[in-house]
Amino acid sequence: MASTSADYSLAEVDGRKTVHAGSVPVPSDDPAAPSKKVSSSRQRFSDLFTIFCAGFALISDGYQNNLMTMTNVVLAAEYGKAYSSTWSTRVSNALLVGEIIGQLTIGLTCDYLGRKFAIVVTTLMIVVGGILATASNGTTFHGFLWMLTVSRGIIGFGTGGEYPASSTSASEAANEYTLKNRGPIFILVTNLPLSFGGPFAVAIFLIVLQCTGMKHLSTLWRVTFGIGCIWPLTVFFFRLRMLNSKLYRRGAIKKRVPYLLVLRYYWRSLSGTCGAWFLYDFVTFPNGVFSGQIISSVVPNKSIQKTAEWQLLLGTLALPGVFIGALLCDRLGRKNTMMLGFSGYLVFGLIIGCAYNQLATPHLLPLFVVFYGLMLSSGNLGPGDMLGLMSSESYATAVRGTCYGISAALGKTGAAVGTQAFKPIQTNLGKRWTFIIAAICGVAGILDERFRSYLVSRGWNEEMGEDDLKALAGEGVPNEIMEKDGGNGSLEGPVIVR
């Protein structure tokens, strides 16, 4: 064996010359290998599993986001007036507060410590929080509700952290695995599983309801909470084995991050993604989380099973918008597709709001649910699909998690504000105004120089990248990597934002 350096040596493996980096053999005739430590086949395999696992994990997030839709109905039936609108809002908002903290914290963490580390942390938080929520108890009724509230906050930290961690890793992996279809694939492994989590949670609820019956409501909601712990664990092993993306390993800034330069460079993009996400979540989250109670108020005798069945139809009707948005995002462009979705939100929101007293009756309930579903589907088509995609494409690798996390956190802040305002709006203005305000926000929604060279031109020349692809910002990197990703650590290829 001929030694070539202190760290690498040549050997024959299956008739091929191979470079050994520690214990990992990398063929020397592998021109597509991202570095001497990682073969192209291993990187590609990791990218594929990163995309798959991100989608499967975000189903878990969608499931957790929608659990309270029917749980609020069950707790109101089980405890009556003791489970007041104040407690209903508090328990629902606990997830949002946790998500805001998780998005900001994990957004920073996944830039500093890597996507893989952040993803493992978020998975564990979801599982621990889910176990605590399932076991919620107390010496008093309020003690029980506070334990449930805190547990949902812990789950929220995990689900919130999944937004920047899973979404950025999926975006970067899709960029490396199939550049041409990056946008549609990103949507199908992020917003689709998040949206699918809604009807999926209701379907699980109905199955458990058939097993427990109406006499064991506590068992009903606890089992649905407990099942939520299973989904993130199914892909946990694969997430432990994943690699950080090549873009991250070359573009990461591990110390002395120039946040002032980042803000000066990206403040317009941040204003756009944060503002649009705030508006969208302000109306869509409360209209989603309280949709069960809205439908229950129209269903004869407030039947829990009938409410869940209509809720399942509502969640299913919201899904086609995700596929239409994925189909249109490259054809119309990101911004035009988002405006189209906001326009649909405006139209259907006004139809429901202006005709609420006529539609929200037992004999017109099917038409009410159809219009309601079309409104939610329009939201998925536009801002639901495009906000995450644009947030993942608008920022360089070194700060993508941080900026994505800030944008998503502002969105969840809007959701928390909207959830807090939902009940007072219903009480003081009437239920129709929750839809009219959604339409108004739809109107509001309608209405590069390369990052690495920018930093260097401003006098910043610290280390970027990690391990095998670390270098000073101003130093060159291998030609094949420069040519393929554009030499800047941001996502390669054209980003269509017409």
Side-chain angles (χ1 to χ4, degrees):
M1 183 181 293
S3 177
T4 57
S5 72
D7 300 308
Y8 301 97
S9 58
L10 288 175
E12 288 279 337
V13 177
D14 296 330
R16 300 176 67 191
K17 289 184 177 180
T18 303
V19 176
H20 279 264
S23 61
V24 182
V26 180
S28 60
D29 57 347
D30 185 1
S35 74
K36 292 181 178 180
K37 292 185 179 181
V38 179
S39 67
S40 59
S41 60
R42 185 186 176 203
Q43 183 68 59
R44 191 167 177 80
F45 187 75
S46 176
D47 291 340
L48 180 62
F49 266 91
T50 297
I51 295 169
F52 169 77
C53 291
F56 203 86
L58 287 171
I59 291 177
S60 169
D61 289 17
Y63 182 90
Q64 293 290 350
N65 284 337
N66 289 276
L67 264 184
M68 290 308 299
T69 300
M70 289 308 302
T71 302
N72 278 327
V73 176
V74 171
L75 291 177
E78 185 177 5
Y79 297 109
K81 293 183 179 180
Y83 188 66
S84 63
S85 62
T86 301
W87 275 110
S88 172
T89 301
R90 183 174 295 155
V91 175
S92 300
N93 261 352
L95 187 81
L96 296 175
V97 173
E99 285 185 333
I100 292 168
I101 298 171
Q103 284 162 344
L104 293 173
T105 305
I106 300 299
L108 283 168
T109 301
C110 74
D111 282 340
Y112 271 110
L113 300 177
R115 315 308 194 208
K116 175 180 175 179
F117 176 85
I119 284 172
V120 170
V121 170
T122 58
T123 302
L124 293 175
M125 293 295 285
I126 293 171
V127 173
V128 171
I131 293 171
L132 290 173
T134 303
S136 290
N137 213 328
T139 55
T140 65
F141 177 64
H142 285 174
F144 149 69
L145 289 178
W146 273 116
M147 182 174 178
L148 179 61
T149 300
V150 172
S151 301
R152 289 291 289 171
I154 295 172
I155 295 172
F157 185 94
T159 57
E162 284 278 4
Y163 278 74
S166 284
S167 297
T168 55
S169 62
S171 177
E172 291 161 0
N175 186 77
E176 295 167 7
Y177 193 81
T178 172
L179 171 61
K180 183 178 179 181
N181 299 310
R182 178 184 66 213
I185 285 179
F186 177 85
I187 290 169
L188 294 178
V189 299
T190 53
N191 195 42
L192 176 59
L194 282 169
S195 301
F196 175 73
F200 182 53
V202 179
I204 296 295
F205 176 88
L206 281 168
I207 293 171
V208 178
L209 177 61
Q210 293 303 310
C211 299
T212 63
M214 291 297 298
K215 294 183 179 180
H216 304 282
L217 294 180
S218 180
T219 303
L220 170 61
W221 69 262
R222 289 180 191 277
V223 170
T224 56
F225 272 57
I227 290 173
C229 301
I230 298 173
W231 316 130
L233 289 175
T234 54
V235 292
F236 188 60
F237 172 78
F238 299 104
R239 303 184 107 182
L240 286 174
R241 302 287 296 173
M242 67 176 276
L243 296 170
N244 283 320
S245 72
K246 182 181 67 180
L247 283 174
Y248 175 80
R249 298 203 315 279
R250 190 185 65 79
I253 300 176
K254 295 287 191 174
K255 54 186 177 181
R256 290 193 284 275
V257 181
Y259 285 117
L260 184 59
L261 292 179
V262 172
L263 186 61
R264 286 172 56 188
Y265 185 72
Y266 281 129
W267 71 269
R268 288 185 179 87
S269 297
L270 274 171
S271 299
T273 55
C274 289
W277 222 327
F278 182 96
L279 276 175
Y280 177 60
D281 278 7
F282 176 82
V283 293
T284 196
F285 195 90
N287 270 315
V289 78
F290 292 119
S291 59
Q293 290 174 297
I294 293 174
I295 293 174
S296 177
S297 67
V298 183
V299 170
N301 302 320
K302 296 188 177 182
S303 165
I304 291 179
Q305 180 169 335
K306 289 295 182 183
T307 299
E309 290 169 353
W310 285 113
Q311 184 67 39
L312 179 60
L313 175 61
L314 177 65
T316 304
L317 287 173
L319 292 179
V322 180
F323 294 100
I324 297 172
L327 186 67
L328 296 179
C329 68
D330 286 339
R331 291 172 171 80
L332 295 183
R334 278 47 164 166
K335 288 183 179 178
N336 287 338
T337 304
M338 185 161 70
M339 290 170 64
L340 178 64
F342 268 128
S343 299
Y345 220 77
L346 164 66
V347 171
F348 292 113
L350 284 177
I351 289 174
I352 298 172
C354 294
Y356 184 84
N357 291 336
Q358 291 74 32
L359 289 173
T361 56
H363 67 284
L364 285 181
L365 180 58
L367 185 60
F368 173 74
V369 172
V370 167
F371 278 128
Y372 200 167
L374 289 173
M375 185 183 84
L376 297 179
S377 190
S378 298
N380 278 332
L381 184 159
D385 279 356
M386 297 305 119
L387 284 172
L389 179 58
M390 292 173 68
S391 295
S392 72
E393 291 179 334
S394 297
Y395 308 107
T397 303
V399 293
R400 182 172 295 125
T402 300
C403 294
Y404 191 105
I406 291 172
S407 301
L410 261 292
K412 291 306 177 189
T413 302
V417 174
T419 303
Q420 199 69 36
F422 189 86
K423 291 293 184 179
I425 290 173
Q426 276 194 337
T427 302
N428 299 313
L429 298 178
K431 291 180 180 178
R432 67 164 61 212
W433 277 96
T434 60
F435 295 97
I436 293 174
I437 290 173
I440 292 170
C441 289
V443 175
I446 294 172
L447 298 174
D448 170 36
E449 208 179 68
R450 293 173 178 173
F451 186 67
R452 182 186 290 256
S453 60
Y454 168 81
L455 294 180
V456 175
S457 70
R458 296 302 189 276
W460 191 89
N461 193 29
E462 300 288 343
E463 280 187 342
M464 296 181 72
E466 68 170 5
D467 300 335
D468 48 326
L469 296 177
K470 182 183 291 185
L472 291 177
E475 290 182 7
V477 292
N479 288 333
E480 63 270 17
I481 298 175
M482 284 288 288
E483 291 167 4
K484 191 170 181 181
D485 70 17
N488 65 344
S490 59
L491 293 181
E492 62 184 83
V495 177
I496 305 170
V497 291
R498 293 189 291 270

